[in-house]
Amino acid sequence: MSDRDKLLEDTAKDVRRLNQRERAPATWAGIAFYGGTVGLLFVVPVVGGAYLGRWLDSLASGYSVRWTVSLIVLGIALGAYNAYRFMKGRQ
Amino acid sequence: MNCFALHLHDSHGGDRFDDVVQFIAADGSGSFGILAGHARMLAVLRYGLARFVDSAGRWHFLSLPGGVMSFADNRLTLATVRYFLGDERAGICRQLEDEMARLDSDVHSSRATLTEIEHALLRRLGEMSGRMQEKAGK
């Protein structure tokens, strides 16, 4: 086999391999990993915000949930942005 | 987005891309990818397809008969005998065949021109030697 034929054959083989990989159905492990990552990216800022808000509220005199609610809302926004960026980057 | 520069060199010249995000190729041990900020590395690529994506998200495909790839100071340098660059994965094989056919045609026409030059040279030498013999005869 000449160098030229080998180049053509190996290139065609690599193209076929890439096409097959794209067409291959997603595995359960892959779906779980992807979903878990998106979930963590969303949940961690929300939970972090809630804990931080609760601690800040405990420093205030009397009953207060202002910081807790504010930081939970901020965490939801941050988590949604994180998840969006991750999903956009994977496309 | 972190980018690095890609310099391609072959016997016909080269190309340069300054906004490469990821480069994927294969050597004897298998396929690997390189991102910006990678440690210095050197690899001998195998025959086949390599690909890279720029900051706009466009994939470019390289068909090459092996080559030496080095990455240092956020610059990837690829030296090979000849590479073929394409933007469509599906069409790169056809593009490769077309390019090879064009190269064959160029080589064929160069050979034909060379043969013509040789014939003209021989004819001229024959004429000159004939004239010299005539002069010697006089």
Side-chain angles (χ1 to χ4, degrees), chain A:
Chain A
M1 185 190 290
S2 70
D3 287 350
R4 171 180 296 205
D5 293 337
K6 184 171 164 52
L7 178 60
L8 271 171
E9 193 181 307
D10 287 0
T11 302
K13 205 187 290 175
D14 283 345
V15 169
R16 274 199 305 273
R17 198 176 294 154
L18 276 175
N19 289 338
Q20 278 171 3
R21 199 181 299 166
E22 273 184 7
R23 277 199 298 268
T27 59
W28 283 110
I31 293 168
F33 186 76
Y34 186 79
T37 307
V38 173
L40 269 179
L41 283 170
F42 182 75
V43 164
V44 166
V46 178
V47 173
Y51 270 99
L52 186 63
R54 194 174 138 79
W55 176 70
L56 287 171
D57 279 331
S58 71
L59 297 179
S61 58
Y63 178 76
S64 168
V65 288
R66 196 189 309 161
W67 280 107
T68 308
V69 172
S70 302
L71 290 183
I72 284 175
V73 171
L74 189 69
I76 289 171
L78 194 67
Y81 178 67
N82 272 343
Y84 168 74
R85 275 197 61 179
F86 175 75
M87 288 190 286
K88 197 180 170 197
R90 295 277 297 184
Q91 279 170 1

Side-chain angles (χ1 to χ4, degrees), chain B residues 13-27:
Chain B
D15 280 301
R16 181 181 161 167
F17 298 87
D18 288 322
D19 59 344
V20 176
V21 176
Q22 189 182 13
F23 180 86
I24 298 173
D27 64 4

Side-chain angles (χ1 to χ4, degrees), chain B residues 5-83:
Chain B
L6 171 64
H7 293 205
L8 302 169
H9 302 285
D10 74 354
S11 55
H12 287 67
D15 280 301
R16 181 181 161 167
F17 298 87
D18 288 322
D19 59 344
V20 176
V21 176
Q22 189 182 13
F23 180 86
I24 298 173
D27 64 4
S29 63
S31 185
F32 61 89
I34 290 180
L35 296 171
H38 197 282
R40 293 168 73 95
M41 75 169 287
L42 187 69
V44 179
L45 303 184
R46 66 161 170 74
Y47 268 73
L49 196 70
R51 58 200 160 111
F52 59 94
V53 61
D54 61 24
S55 56
R58 274 191 305 270
W59 281 96
H60 303 271
F61 297 91
L62 277 170
S63 176
L64 43 97
V68 177
M69 185 216 83
S70 66
F71 189 89
D73 303 326
N74 225 25
R75 192 176 79 177
L76 195 152
T77 308
L78 177 59
T80 178
V81 176
R82 186 85 173 97
Y83 67 81

